[in-house]
Amino acid sequence: MANSPSGDSMTDRLVRILETFTPTRTVQTAAEIARRAGLPDSTAHRIVGELVATGLLERDDDRRVRVGMRLWELATRSSRALRLRQVALPYMERVQARVREHTQLAIREQDEALFLERLSDPASGANVTRIAGRLPLHASSSGLVLLAHAETDVQERVLSAPLRAMSPHTLVDPATLRRKLAEVRRLGHAAAPGYIESVSTGVAVPIRERTGEVVAALSVVLPRDAPIEQPLAELRRAAVDIEVALDPPPIERVSVPAERR
Ligand code: PHB
């Protein structure tokens, strides 16, 4: 791929442009994209124009740019996230119907929790999670589950980086976080009272592949002082059902005697 004078490839520039879109910044002018991507105006305009021509980006009547449906289609079609989400969805709906609070599914991606799905009742309380949005591993219940079961090098990397306080209750001391991760492994769930925002408590359980590897976390976001026992029981039940649905046991073959065939 052709490199620019600064040495970054066309792919680098493309990714930088796409990364300027966030869950809260979905529409931008080409000039804003150029500035946020750190690219010369002319380069950004040219690449944005090419992306609009292919449908990966779309322009509205005011010539402002947003992510195109074609990009969503291509990205979603064959992503491993799609299967996980599709398999999990009916069981997430059951949790949501019974607990009547936010129910969400996350995977670990580049040292953060990436949310694949969120179901919410209109009456549910506060929640900062967005679908295709991210939360820090150390500060969210899903993130704690994913981090507690991550490879040692991932844990050490996260523990040695500055741990940002999202609220006064976030665990920002590495030794305390280490103890919390051990607790998450021992109890089989993570509770994060007020870690993200003081008014809510996240509760999450792991979803495992047959190998035992944790591939996702299923969580609910409750009002801060709500009891966690019933939501936790629903989460555990859903996790078992999702694990079976992800990897159903082989159908037992009943051998029929020859004379009855
Ligand atoms: C959590 O998973 O701990 C969590 C997520 C979103 C919130 C609050 C808590 O708004």
Side-chain angles (χ1 to χ4, degrees), residues 89-123:
L89 201 50
Y91 307 105
M92 292 181 69
E93 281 166 352
R94 188 176 70 202
V95 173
Q96 209 276 322
R98 295 192 176 167
V99 179
R100 304 194 72 80
E101 297 291 352
H102 309 283
T103 305
Q104 32 208 39
L105 179 69
I107 58 169
R108 183 168 58 80
E109 167 65 20
Q110 294 170 336
D111 295 356
E112 288 176 304
L114 172 63
F115 287 82
L116 306 185
E117 186 57 275
R118 163 186 155 170
L119 304 177
S120 299
D121 190 272

Side-chain angles (χ1 to χ4, degrees), residues 104 126-129 135 139-142 192 196-197 200-203 219 221:
Q104 32 208 39
N127 186 357
V128 298
T129 316
L135 288 179
S140 57
S141 59
S142 303
I196 290 268
E197 44 182 355
S200 43
T201 291
V203 183
S219 64
V221 178

Side-chain angles (χ1 to χ4, degrees), residues 8-28:
D8 55 353
S9 70
M10 178 62 186
T11 307
D12 289 331
R13 282 172 272 161
L14 200 68
V15 171
R16 265 155 60 192
I17 287 180
L18 294 177
E19 279 182 341
T20 63
F21 293 91
T22 70
T24 51
R25 191 199 297 137
T26 55
V27 187
Q28 310 177 77

